[in-house]
Amino acid sequence: MAKHTDIAKELYARIVEQARKEAFYRSCGVPDSVDGRFESIAMHCFLVLYRIKSEDEEGADLAQSLFDVMFEDMDDNVREMGVSDVSVGAEIKRMARSFLGRVAAYDSTIEVNGDETGNDRLEVALDNNLYGTIKVSKAHLGKMADYMRREIGSLSTQPFSDLLAGVCRFGSPPS
């Protein structure tokens, strides 16, 4: 068992609690579907991992534990949805690759406001991932990009000792 499993479980519970807030689905246009909920959890997990990445080896250990806890939960959920035991491993690997792709996309765009065409690259990443299964308004993309940047700033001020205690505080979802 990983060093920070219990802490990661607490952080993951806070991530899921935030990701499931109704405002994301009602006011921000996140699809209220299996895919939409996965994407919201992935986005919020990214936010915490982005905060942790600046820490030393203990941060790397916590990040790995958080990833492990997230995908143990995904494994449980996939099984509950009736995916056959034979297919679960392949489905979890697909989800893990998808998640790592989202982390890379958000990480490369979170601090960049625009590209050479004037498009907000984070909005493009959100359109491709969080909203990937639907057509979404520019207003919703802007709200979520602003939310992510706000949360990056907020989480950056939270002491690592809080995260090591299983505590992370998110702000209110956009309205």
Side-chain angles (χ1 to χ4, degrees):
M1 183 151 304
K3 178 179 176 183
H4 294 299
T5 299
D6 291 338
I7 295 164
K9 286 179 181 178
E10 288 296 318
L11 290 174
Y12 185 69
R14 300 295 74 74
I15 288 166
V16 170
E17 177 183 17
Q18 182 73 6
R20 289 188 175 166
K21 289 196 172 175
E22 186 178 330
F24 291 112
Y25 307 94
R26 187 186 68 242
S27 301
C28 301
V30 174
D32 192 2
S33 64
V34 171
D35 288 338
R37 289 175 181 266
F38 170 78
E39 294 297 345
S40 186
I41 291 169
M43 182 191 73
H44 285 90
C45 194
F46 161 78
L47 293 170
V48 173
L49 291 171
Y50 190 86
R51 165 60 185 90
I52 293 171
K53 80 176 186 173
S54 65
E55 300 299 329
D56 59 9
E57 187 177 322
E58 193 158 26
D61 291 344
L62 180 56
Q64 183 62 55
S65 293
L66 182 56
F67 178 87
D68 293 346
V69 165
M70 178 180 177
F71 281 93
E72 286 173 23
D73 181 57
M74 294 297 155
D75 185 282
D76 292 344
N77 285 304
V78 165
R79 289 176 192 279
E80 285 178 17
M81 290 188 300
V83 174
S84 71
D85 286 342
V86 175
S87 302
V88 169
E91 180 65 13
I92 295 303
K93 284 180 185 176
R94 184 195 64 74
M95 291 172 79
R97 280 192 307 274
S98 294
F99 174 71
L100 293 173
R102 278 129 181 90
V103 167
Y106 294 145
D107 191 55
S108 69
T109 62
I110 193 75
E111 294 181 15
V112 179
N113 289 326
D115 64 16
E116 60 280 352
T117 64
N119 292 321
D120 183 315
R121 290 178 56 205
L122 179 56
E123 287 182 15
V124 172
L126 287 165
D127 193 23
N128 291 335
N129 296 296
L130 183 64
Y131 297 105
T133 60
I134 64 167
K135 180 83 173 136
V136 67
S137 72
K138 182 83 170 144
H140 285 138
L141 289 169
K143 277 185 194 182
M144 290 306 294
D146 290 346
Y147 169 78
M148 285 185 73
R149 290 186 176 107
R150 182 190 77 204
E151 293 307 304
I152 289 290
S154 176
L155 286 164
S156 73
T157 66
Q158 294 178 33
F160 186 57
S161 58
D162 286 0
L163 294 170
L164 285 174
V167 176
C168 67
R169 290 172 296 284
F170 291 103
S172 298
S175 55

